[in-house]
Amino acid sequence: MKNRKIGFLLLSGLMVGPILGSGIIILPPAVFDTAGNYAIFAWMIMLGLSMLFAHMFGKLSLMIPGDSGVPLAVERAFGTQIKNLSAIFFLLAVCFGPVAVLGTAGHYLQLLTSQSLFHEKWLALGLLCFVYLILTRNITDVGKFAFIMSTFIVVTLLVGSLHTLFTVEGNITLSNPITVSDFGQSLLLLFWALIGWEVIGSYSLEVKTPERTIPKAVALSFSIIAVVSLTVALAFQWIHSDSKSAANQSLAPLLESLFGNWATPIISTITIALCISTVLLVIGAVSRLISDQAKNGLLPSWLSYKNKNNVATRGLLSLFCIHIIVFTLFFLNIISIQQLVAIANAFFLCNALLGVLACMRIFDSLWLKIGSAILAICFFSILLFSSIYILLAIVVVAVYFGWLQKKESIKEQKMFSQVGNDL
């Protein structure tokens, strides 16, 4: 069976929901609580950096296409062992993150159904199985499913927020001053919303005419994300401008003017859709990474197998087994959602940090080098907020692979010297 590939619309569908992520639900209240009505300027700055981040990784995926994604760029910039380090960071992040994301989705699903027949953790397990079932399908089927969910998320949030802006009484004033510290804290919160664009490269072999499809998909996805993010943030400020604190507020009020009592169930449904979209993207990307690493001899060769639909089924099976183990720890309350999120976020940041450092070394453009340096500083600063135990683990793993890379470089230098002497 000939493998079907996706166009820019379906690739955009894969990206929009996950990159909006739970941040579009959590961040507007949190950033407004920190920066007040100046929050909209923080969103604009973040989106400017997001555009740069998206452009860099879209460009990288064309320069160095392959199932491994970011690690391929890291290999070109720093060597094979640092590539392996990047791959391990991404693998570790996806070992822990999806269980946390679907644990959150299970909680909202239980609230949505108002049923106590199934505990939210069992619902999370059901969602995990559902995601893996979807991922066994051809990439075009996965893309269509993600596109439908992304369309639902975008249309609902955009229409509800615009309706609120035009029909609900509110205002936005900049009369109250803001400290540099508060504005900086709001930017720090928003930098989490940048993560996600680095996964584009993992799908570079799954698209039609990548040189046209990927730039168009990146441009469309970013435009949609920017419009939705700014509209939602502005509408939230519009109706909360006189509030003393909005940190614990949900986005449901943005939809109440249009959907009435259905607003809270709709927000819950959107959150579930965002969670599923995110997990689809990252598990699909890592299954391809596992297959590619196995093909190159870095993992057992049997993991490189892909079926007639070009699905890395053995990579998916290995990930499913890992997620069942992590889910069991979560189910037994040995590890919490907060701990899972902390671990996953730290490793996602490490992978993104290596990616932007690779961009800084690979790209010739001074503008892109400066942008990469800014993003690297920001990601490193955010990483420092991680648990000391996670940071120690990261340092140990990074030092080990750095040592391996140093040994490899010395070996290569000796080999070249020997060849030169022989000549």
Side-chain angles (χ1 to χ4, degrees):
M1 178 178 175
K2 187 178 179 180
N3 179 44
R4 292 179 291 168
K5 296 190 175 185
I6 57 176
F8 78 97
L9 274 178
L10 294 189
L11 182 59
S12 297
L14 270 173
M15 292 192 294
V16 169
I19 295 172
L20 278 175
S22 58
I24 196 62
I25 305 295
I26 297 168
L27 289 174
V31 175
F32 178 75
D33 192 59
T34 303
N37 284 317
Y38 292 87
I40 194 65
F41 299 112
W43 280 94
M44 290 178 180
I45 292 172
M46 183 278 294
L47 287 169
L49 290 172
S50 183
M51 180 171 64
L52 175 63
F53 195 47
H55 174 69
M56 286 194 305
F57 282 94
K59 193 176 177 68
L60 263 187
S61 67
L62 290 175
M63 288 177 61
I64 315 170
D67 285 337
S68 285
V70 168
L72 290 173
V74 174
E75 180 179 33
R76 179 177 291 189
F78 304 114
T80 303
Q81 296 301 332
I82 307 303
K83 170 202 173 184
N84 295 340
L85 175 62
S86 174
I88 283 175
F89 281 149
F90 194 31
L91 281 166
L92 287 172
V94 177
C95 285
F96 295 97
V99 174
V101 172
L102 293 177
T104 302
H107 172 71
Y108 278 95
L109 185 57
Q110 188 182 54
L111 292 177
L112 190 62
T113 56
S114 300
Q115 298 279 341
S116 57
L117 184 61
F118 295 105
H119 190 275
E120 61 185 57
K121 290 183 178 179
W122 287 115
L123 293 173
L125 178 60
L127 289 173
L128 180 66
C129 294
F130 173 71
V131 164
Y132 273 97
L133 183 64
I134 293 294
L135 286 169
T136 59
R137 306 291 300 173
N138 185 280
I139 186 64
T140 55
D141 296 330
V142 177
K144 287 173 185 176
F145 180 74
F147 180 78
I148 291 168
M149 287 198 298
S150 294
T151 302
F152 164 70
I153 293 163
V154 166
V155 170
T156 306
L157 286 176
L158 197 56
V159 170
S161 297
L162 287 172
H163 190 270
T164 295
L165 283 169
F166 286 107
T167 63
V168 176
E169 185 178 350
N171 65 82
I172 294 178
T173 61
L174 301 176
S175 55
N176 296 325
I178 184 174
T179 65
V180 173
S181 174
D182 285 343
F183 193 73
Q185 185 64 32
S186 69
L187 288 174
L188 191 61
L189 287 169
L190 282 170
F191 274 116
W192 291 109
L194 290 176
I195 304 299
W197 291 108
E198 69 276 15
V199 181
I200 300 170
S202 298
Y203 293 88
S204 57
L205 299 181
E206 304 276 4
V207 299
K208 305 170 186 173
T209 54
E211 64 278 2
R212 294 201 303 271
T213 298
I214 291 177
K216 286 171 70 176
V218 169
L220 177 62
S221 300
F222 174 77
S223 300
I224 292 170
I225 289 166
V227 169
V228 172
S229 298
L230 286 177
T231 305
V232 169
L234 193 62
F236 188 87
Q237 291 184 213
W238 181 255
I239 61 175
H240 288 96
S241 58
D242 296 326
S243 303
K244 292 184 178 179
S245 176
N248 298 318
Q249 296 281 348
S250 75
L251 295 190
L254 300 190
L255 307 183
E256 284 177 356
S257 64
L258 184 60
F259 298 105
N261 293 333
W262 286 93
T264 299
I266 288 173
I267 284 294
S268 295
T269 304
I270 287 173
T271 304
I272 294 165
L274 286 167
C275 291
I276 292 174
S277 297
T278 302
V279 174
L280 275 174
L281 182 77
V282 296
I283 293 180
V286 168
S287 69
R288 288 164 173 78
L289 172 62
I290 290 172
S291 175
D292 196 51
Q293 295 289 82
K295 194 186 303 178
N296 294 326
L298 299 168
L299 290 173
S301 59
W302 66 273
L303 286 171
S304 65
Y305 173 79
K306 289 185 178 181
N307 67 11
K308 63 182 181 180
N309 288 328
N310 204 37
V311 177
T313 48
R314 292 177 183 174
L316 281 177
L317 178 61
S318 61
L319 277 174
F320 181 72
C321 293
I322 291 170
H323 286 145
I324 290 298
I325 293 169
V326 174
F327 175 81
T328 302
L329 297 176
F330 168 59
F331 187 84
L332 296 174
N333 296 317
I334 295 173
I335 190 167
S336 67
I337 282 185
Q338 290 76 15
Q339 290 169 321
L340 290 170
V341 168
I343 295 168
N345 281 343
F347 289 123
F348 274 128
L349 274 169
C350 287
N351 183 57
L353 178 58
L354 285 175
V356 295
L357 289 173
C359 288
M360 192 161 54
R361 192 159 187 174
I362 291 172
F363 290 142
D364 295 325
S365 165
L366 179 61
W367 180 72
L368 288 176
K369 285 182 181 292
I370 292 171
S372 300
I374 291 170
L375 289 171
I377 292 167
C378 294
F379 289 155
F380 183 73
S381 300
I382 298 170
L383 184 61
L384 293 178
F385 284 86
S386 300
S387 159
I388 185 65
Y389 300 108
I390 296 174
L391 289 175
L392 283 173
I394 289 168
V395 169
V396 169
V397 174
V399 168
Y400 173 69
F401 278 93
W403 174 70
L404 289 180
Q405 184 61 52
K406 184 69 175 176
K407 282 182 63 179
E408 190 173 284
S409 298
I410 292 171
K411 185 178 178 181
E412 288 176 355
Q413 287 174 1
K414 287 181 178 178
M415 189 182 300
F416 287 133
S417 297
Q418 184 64 44
V419 170
N421 292 334
D422 292 342
L423 292 174

